[in-house]
Amino acid sequence: MTSSPSGKSWLYDEYADGAGLSFKIDKILASQQTKFQNIKIVKAKTLGTTLLLNNWIYRTEDQGTAMPEMIVHVPMSVGKFKKKRVLLIGGGDGHSVAELIKYQEVEPIDMVDIDQTVVKLCSQHFPVAKKAFQDKRVKLHIAEGSQFIKSQPENFYDVIFVTGTEAFDAKGKPGISFSLFETRFYKDCFKKLNQQGILLTDGQNGYYGEKFYQSINRKLKTTFSLAKNYSVTCKYIPGGLYLMNIASKKLDPEKDIYPRSIKDLNYYNAKIHQSSFALPQFLI
């Protein structure tokens, strides 16, 4: 964050060399450096309460449901069977958990985050996170995701969600989530999923992360029988286009769509689900 000539504080979210977005900051609500990362929660003029991890925007109050809704409801709407056992790696902001608890049949919800301070601060400043973490079905594990997955039983989970931070830091060096983008981690996830299991993992910015998301695709296709990408538009992402990676042992997330009757959705619906798999030609 920096100040403009008018004395106002601004957040400059530099996503790639020469590309980024700026947002006016009204107030810093919390700031803490842990052994893993720098955490800030600020009140932004057009974004509302905003979580920053290493000064990168991770989740916002305004339009904050677009990303978690597409993270959760696309995999949860694939296949006729109701999914009960789910694992969420990197859900410390609480927003994806908030979407998962809308499914009454889901239990347990194993949620893993490496940094307990993220969970603590988000519970204090995001009401949706506080409510989500209070749900009795949520089992919080403070651990490193790629290590936690090794300790879980095989053929157990219906869906595994991976929503860690960026694989690389601002200097291009491996970040705390780097191990969540490696082939050996995807192979471990494959073992822990049941025969109709689905893996959802963060992809990359559609305009500035093309090479990285393609490398994720290649890794997933060496392990799963089917791997695809779908998109979500979000105003706090430079370029507005973000890609998700979804892999399956059997089901096709683009065709085997059976949306549940979930209320209080702001972004996701059945038509969005299907159309999100239609990508620009340069990303195919």
Side-chain angles (χ1 to χ4, degrees), residues 18-206:
L21 292 175
S22 298
F23 298 95
K24 182 181 176 183
I25 301 300
D26 291 332
K27 185 178 181 181
I28 298 176
L29 302 175
S31 180
Q32 192 163 341
Q33 178 69 49
T34 72
K35 66 178 181 179
F36 301 109
Q37 58 201 336
N38 180 269
I39 307 165
K40 289 187 180 71
I41 298 181
V42 303
K43 182 71 77 171
K45 185 71 174 180
T46 59
L47 299 177
T49 304
T50 300
L51 170 64
L52 308 176
L53 298 178
N54 293 327
N55 288 323
W56 284 347
I57 297 174
Y58 190 74
R59 200 67 76 226
T60 72
E61 179 183 15
D62 178 59
Q63 211 190 21
T65 63
M67 193 76 77
E69 282 188 22
M70 290 299 283
I71 287 171
V72 170
H73 300 301
V74 171
M76 293 296 287
S77 299
V78 177
K80 291 183 178 180
F81 72 106
K82 291 183 178 180
K83 298 157 187 66
K84 297 181 179 180
R85 296 170 175 170
V86 301
L87 168 62
L88 173 61
I89 296 177
D93 63 281
H95 288 68
S96 294
V97 180
E99 297 304 318
L100 281 169
I101 64 174
K102 294 177 181 179
Y103 295 85
Q104 295 183 356
E105 67 272 17
V106 172
E107 186 177 2
I109 301 172
D110 284 322
M111 200 217 82
V112 180
D113 201 284
I114 196 172
D115 197 337
Q116 190 167 14
T117 305
V118 173
V119 178
K120 176 184 176 182
L121 292 179
C122 287
S123 295
Q124 292 174 352
H125 295 281
F126 290 98
V128 66
K130 181 179 180 180
K131 179 181 177 181
F133 291 137
Q134 289 176 340
D135 192 291
K136 294 181 179 180
R137 296 171 295 165
V138 178
K139 309 300 180 184
L140 175 61
H141 308 271
I142 301 301
E144 199 280 315
S146 64
Q147 294 301 313
F148 179 86
I149 193 73
K150 295 178 184 295
S151 66
Q152 300 309 293
E154 295 190 3
N155 302 309
F156 183 75
Y157 290 108
D158 294 309
V159 187
I160 296 176
F161 303 88
V162 184
T163 64
T165 55
E166 300 293 335
F168 299 94
D169 63 20
K171 296 181 180 179
K173 296 181 179 180
I176 60 173
S177 293
F178 183 78
S179 62
L180 304 180
F181 296 91
E182 295 186 299
T183 301
R184 58 187 174 184
F185 171 70
Y186 297 143
K187 290 184 181 296
D188 286 336
C189 289
F190 183 90
K191 294 176 183 177
K192 310 306 178 179
L193 288 165
N194 60 34
Q195 292 306 306
Q196 296 191 82
I198 298 169
L199 171 67
L200 182 285
T201 180
D202 273 349
Q204 193 57 261
N205 187 299

Side-chain angles (χ1 to χ4, degrees), residues 181-191 199 213-228 245-249:
F181 296 91
E182 295 186 299
T183 301
R184 58 187 174 184
F185 171 70
Y186 297 143
K187 290 184 181 296
D188 286 336
C189 289
F190 183 90
K191 294 176 183 177
L199 171 67
Y213 108 84
Q214 288 176 345
S215 73
I216 298 174
N217 270 350
R218 289 192 294 269
K219 293 174 183 178
L220 289 173
K221 287 178 179 178
T222 64
T223 305
F224 289 83
S225 60
L226 188 149
K228 293 187 174 184
N245 294 81
I246 188 168
S248 171
K249 289 186 175 183

Side-chain angles (χ1 to χ4, degrees), residues 193-264:
L193 288 165
N194 60 34
Q195 292 306 306
Q196 296 191 82
I198 298 169
L199 171 67
L200 182 285
T201 180
D202 273 349
Q204 193 57 261
N205 187 299
Y207 290 105
Y208 301 108
E210 180 181 355
K211 291 183 179 179
F212 185 63
Y213 108 84
Q214 288 176 345
S215 73
I216 298 174
N217 270 350
R218 289 192 294 269
K219 293 174 183 178
L220 289 173
K221 287 178 179 178
T222 64
T223 305
F224 289 83
S225 60
L226 188 149
K228 293 187 174 184
N229 297 99
Y230 64 92
S231 66
V232 54
T233 57
C234 196
K235 70 180 182 181
Y236 63 82
I237 298 294
L241 179 66
Y242 196 81
L243 301 175
M244 302 289 184
N245 294 81
I246 188 168
S248 171
K249 289 186 175 183
K250 182 179 180 180
L251 299 169
D252 188 333
E254 187 176 0
K255 298 177 181 178
D256 299 320
I257 307 172
Y258 298 88
R260 308 293 188 259
S261 298
I262 302 298
K263 298 179 180 179
D264 300 323

